[in-house]
Amino acid sequence: MVMEGYIFDEDEDEEPEQNQKFHIRKPVKPYICSTPGDFSEERDFLLENVFPKLREICKLRGGYFSPVDIRWENDDEQVVNGHLLKLLLDYICNCCPYFICLLGETYGPYRSLDAPKLPKRFKINEDADWLDKNYLIAASAGYDWVLQEGHQNTSLTELEIIQAAFLNNTKHCHFYYRQPEHLNHKYGHLPSEEKEKLSQIHLPDSEYADLNIRDLKQRIVNKGIPVRFFKTLEELGNYVMKDWSGIIENVFPFLEYPIEILDQEEYRDWAANETFAEVRRQVFITSPATKTAMEKMTEFALTALDEPSFEPEAELSKLRTHTLTKMLKKKKSVEIKYKSILSVYGDRGCGKSTLIANWIKKFKSENPEIKVIHQYTGSCSKNTDIAYFLRQCIQELRYEFLRQDRESTVVTDNGGPWTFQEVCEAFNAVASLGPSVIVIDGLDEIGATLGKTIRQVKELQWLPFPFPPQCKIICTMSRSDLVYHGLSRRQDCTLLSMPVFNTIQLQMQFLEEHMQQHFHLLNKNHYQQINDVKLTKNPLFLNILGNEIESYSVHSNLAEYLDETYDKISSLRDLCVRCFQRWTKEYSWNKESLYGDAEDEAELELEGWIPDTLRLFAVCRGGLTVEEVLTILQTLGYCNTREVKSYDWLQFRNCIGNFLLEKANGLLDFSHQHLKEIVEYVLLHSLKAGGGSAATSNEPENEWKEQKKKFHSHVAKFFLKQPFCQRTIEELPWQLLSAGDIKTLVKVLTDPVILEGFLDETKKNPSNRQDLAFYWNILKDEGISVTTTYQQMLMKIGILDPVVYDSEDFDREEMSTSMSTEEKSDTPTIPIIITTPAPEGELSIIEETGSIPDTELQKLEESTKKESVAKDDGIDTIFLTESKHKLVEIQTKDDKKGPAFPPFATKLSWLVAMFMKDMGHSGATEDILTSLNNKLQTNYPLTRDDLFLQAKTQEMLGRFCQDRGDKQEAEKWFVKSLRIVMDASDEEEETELDLDLLNLKGCLLSHLGFLRMKEGLYDSAEDLLKEGLEYVRECGNMTARADIQYNLGLLRTQQSDFILAESDLRQSLSTREQWFGNAHPLVADTLFALADLMVKKDSSKGYDKIRAETLYRKTVKIREDCLGSTHLAVADTLLALGKVLMEEISYGAKTEAVGLLRRALDIKTTNLGGDHIDTVSVRNYLKTLEVTLKMGKYEFGPAKETDIRTVERPFSNMSWRDNDLKNLDKRSKLRSSAKSRGSSRPTSRDERSLHSMSRLSNASHITASERLMIETERPARLLNRESVERRLKIGKQMVNGFSGMPDYGRSVITEDKENEEEQERRQSPEQQQSQVQDNIIDSFGVDIARSEESPAQKRTQFMPQTQESGPVKLFKRFGSAESSRSSKHNVRPPRESSARSASSYGTSYRTGSSLKSYSSKKDTNPHSINLGNTSTVTSGPNCSLSSLLGNSKTPRDISRKVHHKSAWYHVPGRYFTDEDKLPPKRSQKTQDVKAMMRRLNMNTPPKIFAPRNGTTPTKFKKHKYFNESHMNNDNFGPTVKGIGPVASEAYSSEYIDDVYENPGSTVTFRGAYYME
């Protein structure tokens, strides 16, 4: 036999696991021993004065102190029955090594010297002596050493000491000897007779007892056990406090983490899971089958370290949905090449939890690089909720993989996932962050959650398919559950059967380890009888059976008991019922029947305090302590002579064994979820545990449900009387809801103290908010509105004015009725509770009737009226549980005292508003925040906390204004909030700023930057966003960082900085997908922005229409799932996707685009109306597309695509020359590089002026937020100007330090012309050259000018490198009326622009700068066409002929209209005239040209052919016969218009015009180059 794990005792040599976040600390449970009746006063003193202090010390160190004090008298019933000694020895072994013993002069009860010796084999007679019975029963229980000859005449006290100090571990044993002089100190003032009478109980009753107690003390001293001597109670208390505080410090060293963590929900749940696992590791029998199972689990878990395999979804998402092949293909199921889930299945109680607990401990120690998260369902009160466990996984995995600084506290804006869909998406996101293993023990025990039924949860809708390969899930379940059938159908799931005890050897090994010293009671015949029972293959059955065999009444007739078990026990439930009956019969007693007359005898056997105790554990949500159980039993009627004492409880607790589990915090609960269900079915007649359901008032009433509600009511009354704590929040509302007491539940949920605990501003217990939402969803079905209830509450505490009625769900009539006639209303409304004196920190007792005296109600109504009439009156009726809330008077500036709301009211109002926001009541939230801000505004000066609260309130109000489109009002709120934050920052300038303050400041700068971007103030927006990004990075707010990166991406898209924009958007997308999952609205927003960026044709590197289409489709799916199919955001995405598909040439794409645009039109029409501008825009797109389809303008259609001008390309295709189209991408790159080197981005005129001032002035040395405060009006009382003026002074010195730079301290705004000239002087030659090229639309004139700059320059290559279009060739041939020799002498001055010149239209083109700067460029020439000499840029680059024809002889019409419908060049013979009504065809030649052609073709020189494929020849050189001497008039022929003299001899090259010239005609160019 091999024991895996260790016994649940103090093993200090074992090192804790290094990769654990916390470490479990086992309780200190000393056993208190003394002679009976002699030390009652000392025990009471320790219990009341010393032990509470030790308990506090343990609590501060993460443990708890729980002494075991068994007090008994010789005439107790259980003592007479003979079970006392066995009970004492059992608890000494359980408490080992902690032992406290008080010894005096008495020896304790013992067998007389003349009593016969007790036999080793015995049968107890009923008339035997009570001491003999105790000896014999203890010996039968395994303590057979008590029957040794030397021990048969020792006292029970000495037997206790022998077991603790001589047989067990004595490391923490302490003895305290009381000196005989204590009698003089205690009774010295009394008469001698009375003193002698009172001293008898402290003196030995015989000489034998005196000798034995002296000998016992000496043996203890000789063994070296610590001994102290005391005379008085104070001395004893000091010694015990000193000794045991040292033991606690030794056992519980100082925590490695703050003590506040012990109060957090995370630690409590972790401790509950670890305690549950430790109990399961106590007994674990290994076998070849279990070893094989653990090896398979380890092998499966290690696959989390493998590289992620190929995911088919990534490739499938790239396919075009409109392609014909995909439309015809049948959709194939996704094949998964890896396994994500390992399911261990078996019957309930077969040992799955034990196997998992031992495997987890071994695997974590061997593989610390893999994150392991485990949950044992039922170990704590809330982990039957799968959403609760998923949130824990999300939190731990984010902490493991997303946090860079593990020690700092991370601030987030949101309270985590709220809806079930958000929880599932976030869980799926964190599962892919890194290698991790998630273990869920008892997956079949999960219940309903967040509006999902149990069936929906067990169908595993929260577990996506396929699951990320980096995360592996190992779960256990029963084979008969719905979860098993759901997992068995998944391709990524592996099933593993749980090994069972199929041999008698394994069964006996388990019983031996479990029963320990009691195992000797079994023999081989018993082995066979146990093996014959079919259920013995189940370890849970063997566990309960072993507990029963340890009882004397069972093992005394074990053979008969096992035979009866074989015959009558067919299930674990039957065995439990038999146990309940035996426990009730032997240890319990009855009271007056709680259930009426029971006709069934079986029901009579299940009445008494033990069945009622089990019922109390069944109805409690998280368990009860021993003290709580005994107190509630008194309220049930077990009091006076029927009171259950500590001795009775300890005997019952020892009898049931590990049927109940003691948690790390001292709470007791069922050790197995199946046992709880059995108790509920047998004792409460309930079919299912109450983990996922609660009894409400509309359920059918029956007798047993009424009795169950009564138990819930008793527990609720108990917690109403307890001091406020986290357990009150967990238990009290749950018990009231289960009891059907809706009215009291509303009182509790509106109690400010409990409500503040529910909303949990410190986020120590994040699930409290989910519980509060759950209760209000139940109350909503009862007709109680959360908005109305909380608004009435805030009115009563003075935050919300009664005149506020703007929120939704607020009924004015209901409000007026409830305030006047509340008691007459049948529907439970918010009660009016009068503050009564109560102990500090305790809750007031709320009676079941909930009635309020009329006198108190009149006082409350009068005070309410006074409050509404005059604000000078205070609030004297606050319905709170704490009496410490008092009114506060503040001193105003006019030295007048006025009342203020209670100090808790502002914080509570903020928490309520945030809860209402999470519940979806935005109108009520905004009303509460507006009133809260007004109250704070009128109560200056405020404390730092109130100022920070006001800043958060104003920031939230700004968000509401921004959401509804009121940008101006939103900016006002944001600026107000930023002022408060900056004042706080200035005050704490010398110290480290609070993370919450930094987080709020970063969020405010993000909002303001976004608004500035929408206004077109790009430079200011960029500065604000960058500063905000620094703050949120410092405080670790990942969601705010993603928001700012998203805004920066949008900003840089507007600035045409597409590379940085895509980088910012992708960073934001990565963060949001890791945090929220792949299907969140914020992720959809980022995908939409990325898609918009990819469809911009100006982005030369990022343009990817196919990828953009995929992103649009993903965005549509996410927004439809999250926002609904009729949301306006869905319509925007459908429109964008439809516009992309419109540009496709295929018929399928255009047809799909029609469907998308129709859907978008329906949504826009429904939400905005048919006349809205967005609706009209969608309708126009749809009309255009439908006309295109009808005309057949698609692939393989009857019509070809025509020349269409779009918004992205406002010029016709015919307007662009080929070399301009070719260099378009090059110019875009030059512009991007110029911007990166410091060129200006597009800004508005106002911002350019302000920006030129701020960047060159003192303000450039302060932050963007400070510059924003300087721009706006700032009250003197809120402005700490010293730091700003200091920065301004430093900045002024720095600016004036530059040579030649003026003082920009004054607010002087320079003219645009001066700014532009300054920028031109600072630009490098490369930047100026790129800007000149960017301004020129048609580069032909520039090429001509460069070729004519100087005759001394080298002859430029005039041969076209690509196939040129017709207009280019015509311009080359017929563009000039004179010879190129004299062109430089005939340059005409550019035409002066008129009042309506091109400068009025060119300001918005590209960079948006003034046209005045273009006149100063040196590269301008009479042939260049730029923004300065064109009348418009929207009708084509060459629509103005001024650059070609020069100044006209008569004024021309320069109005914006189409002057030429067919072409932009007038060529003789091209158009009809008055003389020539029928012009010749364009391809025909005139007679003069034909004559010239014939003359030129007389001598055919070597030819150079223009490359037809558009490529450039690799090498050119001058003709070998060509030199300068050949350049004479004899060698050249007549002058050709636009070209000059042409060669008539061998020095020529051929120019071929395939379109407008006849093949074979040649024209010889001057200085032509050709390739040999």
Side-chain angles (χ1 to χ4, degrees), residues 32-43:
I32 313 300
C33 174
S34 68
T35 52
D38 189 14
F39 285 90
S40 298
E41 189 175 355
E42 285 78 1
R43 286 196 176 194

Side-chain angles (χ1 to χ4, degrees), residues 1121-1318:
D1121 295 340
C1122 300
L1123 306 177
S1125 58
T1126 60
H1127 198 274
L1128 283 175
V1130 178
D1132 295 337
T1133 315
L1134 293 173
L1135 174 60
L1137 179 57
K1139 291 168 64 176
V1140 172
L1141 296 180
M1142 283 176 59
E1143 299 178 2
E1144 297 292 333
I1145 195 173
S1146 65
Y1147 179 79
K1150 293 182 179 297
T1151 305
E1152 185 181 0
V1154 171
L1156 297 174
L1157 293 178
R1158 286 176 178 174
R1159 285 185 56 195
L1161 181 60
D1162 293 341
I1163 298 174
K1164 295 275 188 181
T1165 305
T1166 304
N1167 292 275
L1168 303 176
D1171 297 333
H1172 196 273
I1173 184 173
D1174 293 342
T1175 308
V1176 175
S1177 175
V1178 178
R1179 189 182 297 115
N1180 292 336
Y1181 278 112
L1182 182 59
K1183 288 181 179 180
T1184 303
L1185 181 57
E1186 290 176 345
V1187 170
T1188 302
L1189 286 174
K1190 290 180 180 180
M1191 294 179 63
K1193 297 179 180 180
Y1194 51 83
E1195 189 177 11
F1196 305 112
K1200 293 184 178 180
E1201 186 176 5
T1202 59
D1203 183 20
I1204 301 176
R1205 302 184 184 185
T1206 62
V1207 178
E1208 292 80 5
R1209 288 180 177 265
F1211 313 106
S1212 171
N1213 295 337
M1214 300 177 64
S1215 304
W1216 294 95
R1217 298 174 61 238
D1218 287 350
N1219 57 336
D1220 295 319
L1221 289 172
K1222 179 181 177 181
N1223 296 330
L1224 193 61
D1225 294 339
K1226 184 185 297 185
R1227 296 178 183 180
S1228 177
K1229 296 177 183 178
L1230 290 174
R1231 288 194 300 270
S1232 299
S1233 61
K1235 290 175 183 178
S1236 63
R1237 290 191 297 267
S1239 61
S1240 61
R1241 287 188 288 264
T1243 56
S1244 64
R1245 182 179 182 89
D1246 295 339
E1247 186 183 8
R1248 286 199 309 272
S1249 302
L1250 181 61
H1251 183 63
S1252 62
M1253 177 195 70
S1254 61
R1255 295 301 177 95
L1256 300 176
S1257 64
N1258 298 332
S1260 61
H1261 300 280
I1262 61 178
T1263 62
S1265 57
E1266 293 172 342
R1267 187 159 57 248
L1268 178 65
M1269 293 295 100
I1270 293 176
E1271 295 171 7
T1272 57
E1273 297 180 359
R1274 191 169 186 176
R1277 65 183 181 87
L1278 290 177
L1279 181 59
N1280 188 0
R1281 298 184 179 274
E1282 295 180 0
S1283 61
V1284 178
E1285 292 176 354
R1286 182 169 61 254
R1287 291 190 181 96
L1288 289 174
K1289 184 181 297 183
I1290 295 174
K1292 182 176 180 180
Q1293 296 174 0
M1294 294 179 62
V1295 173
N1296 294 334
F1298 294 102
S1299 59
M1301 183 172 292
D1303 185 5
Y1304 290 92
R1306 305 181 206 134
S1307 301
V1308 180
I1309 301 177
T1310 60
E1311 296 292 336
D1312 291 345
K1313 182 176 179 179
E1314 297 176 358
N1315 292 335
E1316 291 167 359
E1317 292 177 355
E1318 180 67 22

